[in-house]
Amino acid sequence: MWLLIIWVSVLIWAAGTFWFLFKKPSPFSASSVRPAEPLELDQKKRDKVLKQGFTKEKIPANLDAIIIGSGIGGMTAAATMAKSGKKVLVLEQHDVAGGCCHTFTEKGFEFDVGLHYFGQLHENGLLKVAMDQISEGQLEFVELPQHFDSIVIDDKGKRRDYPILSGRVEMEQNLKKLFPNDVKAVEEFFKVMKLTARKTPLMAILKIIPQWFALFLIKSGIANLISSIFRLSDFNATEMNYKLTSNKDLHLIFSYFFYGVAPKESSFMINALMLHHFKRGAYYPKGGASEIPFHVTKVIQKYGGSVLVRAPVSRILVDNKGTAYGVTVKKGEEHVEIRAPVIISNCGIFNTFQKLLPTEIQTKPEIQSRLDMMRPGKASFLLFSGFDATQEELGITATSTWLFKSNDMDGMMDDFFSMSKDEAPENVPMVLITFPSAKDSQTSQIRHPGKSCMTILTMVNYEWFEDWKDTRVRKRGDDYFSYKQRFADHIFNWACQHFPKLKDKLVYQEAATPLTNMHYLSCNRGAIYSADHNLERFYAEAMARNRCDTPVKNLYLSGQDIFSCGIAGALHGGLLCASTVLNYPVYIDLYLLKKNLKWRKAKETAKLAEKKQQ
């Protein structure tokens, strides 16, 4: 009798699982991808898509979801839900859609504000399949040179240059050549990197399965038996680097993607994952970063949704039962109320919980508990420079350059971030130098002939700029301008030491401080990478608890705060959010689609080979 009951239960469970995974309509399909259309170069036509100003009349009727913020995390969630038959509205406080993917043009120069380059866009890779789906095939990418990054250590006049190469085997082989006495350390690092890349999806699954079950797997030790990735998530980068080698130059290479957290406080797993991200190549959007919101917006519109700008959300509406039911948008002196059964916030956990929720909800223990899991991230400082010269005349390439004043990242960062406000500007210890115009040189010269642009990024303390937080943009005073210019002059002169032809051709320059990031990107304390990426955030239990659903019913989170930073991290945050809201694991559809595309490609290749033999 009991055997029969168990057998029937298994059959019911199997049938339910089959229905859940395969009978629900999928938002993704190979047929939705069409050949990319020519680049739209008419700025007026682009503005009609990217700069649709908010009015009451433009709000779609019968909304299924409202998304706060048009960064890639919010746009991915919105497009996925739209393709699932949901009517969505994306609200953006800035005057152009895109978040960190938007661009701005000044004096004929076009600058990225957050996207520098990203990886894993090789044919039929999961990220490429996802990008194709949310844009329906309209995004094209330029593959950067194999030598995609240069690490330069300016150590008291003893300069050391290390090229970083992409390639399945070339990346590892190159590091072995650069460090012949540390071949074993490089091999061990790449073994861990491979494990991280293959098993990190298990960490993401913790955010989709029921939380009680995820915590049971972790606390019972079953998770550790399933994969060593759950144990690896407990190790900081410095600790693991020293286990591999004592060579501090190699330590720096293993952790060179700085995002405001010293290696001793950051996750070895995440640092390894970042380097692996570029193993199959580095890529840049053809036509510039704004192509991403331009095409994703059109997909959202195609399915009845809208992306509206100049729409600052002032409050998330919550009823007396603790359920979110809408938002208010500030339109002049008026606060426009918009209702929907689902609210998705893509503006970060701190903005969402500390600024947008009603005060009585903010103080609830369950909200504070979620906030206590995170800490604010380090702020960013960016310098945008324009040159009246081609890349050939400037001697620049698509390769990004990471400059460091020492190979001791822990020491450098501790010293710098502990400096006084007055000491800091002339003591910046690390910068990223990137030339967007060189990464997409063909279309850049069509759109902006004879011009080149450079972006320099570094991390700073928000507190150094806090004195001006209550001033208005572009009206912060001479003392503010002088202070930020000290940072700008120092890092620009440092860049000119490595690219000496820049200084004579400079015709435009603008610095973006943490306050700039807060104004245009609504970044909490100017942190473009959102919440801090400290080690504790990536513990298995923290990953299970930090999920898209929130203590407020019908309110969900998307973007960088859900999984990790960067364009790819934010995109995965959007996919995880869509999976949660739809109660359907869209990753399974992406995975099956990826396998199907690979099978088709293999079949086509076999046919071509057969024809050649005939």
Side-chain angles (χ1 to χ4, degrees), residues 443-587:
T443 69
S444 177
Q445 286 307 304
I446 294 172
R447 293 177 293 126
H448 309 287
K451 296 182 182 293
S452 297
C453 58
M454 172 180 73
T455 301
I456 305 179
L457 166 71
T458 192
M459 314 303 293
V460 294
N461 281 332
Y462 166 74
E463 289 79 8
W464 294 333
F465 298 85
E466 197 170 15
D467 287 348
W468 297 282
K469 65 182 175 63
D470 296 321
T471 59
R472 293 176 59 190
V473 66
R474 298 191 181 278
K475 294 184 178 180
R476 302 194 192 277
D478 293 340
D479 54 344
Y480 169 79
F481 178 81
S482 298
Y483 184 64
K484 75 171 185 176
Q485 198 59 39
R486 287 173 60 193
F487 278 97
D489 290 344
H490 176 71
I491 62 178
F492 182 71
N493 289 334
W494 192 8
C496 288
Q497 292 175 21
H498 298 273
F499 301 96
K501 296 179 181 179
L502 296 179
K503 190 165 285 188
D504 291 340
K505 297 293 184 178
L506 178 69
V507 294
Y508 170 82
Q509 195 167 78
E510 182 63 58
T513 73
L515 303 183
T516 315
N517 300 333
M518 290 172 70
H519 177 79
Y520 291 108
L521 300 174
S522 198
C523 297
N524 181 61
R525 295 168 61 88
I528 65 172
Y529 296 127
S530 206
D532 206 37
H533 278 55
N534 55 307
L535 174 64
E536 291 80 4
R537 173 176 167 176
F538 296 100
Y539 288 163
E541 184 172 341
M543 293 286 274
R545 292 185 185 278
N546 178 32
R547 46 183 50 221
C548 300
D549 50 347
T550 73
V552 179
K553 187 178 179 182
N554 295 345
L555 173 63
Y556 302 86
L557 299 175
S558 180
Q560 296 183 106
D561 285 353
I562 294 303
F563 195 83
S564 67
C565 65
I567 300 300
L571 183 143
H572 282 296
L575 291 172
L576 287 166
C577 184
S579 295
T580 304
V581 174
L582 296 170
N583 193 28
Y584 178 74
V586 300
Y587 275 102

Side-chain angles (χ1 to χ4, degrees), residues 269-290:
M269 174 185 74
I270 292 299
N271 288 353
L273 196 63
M274 285 183 169
L275 188 55
H276 184 275
H277 183 66
F278 296 100
K279 194 174 181 182
R280 296 288 297 274
Y283 298 81
Y284 185 80
K286 183 179 179 181
S290 64

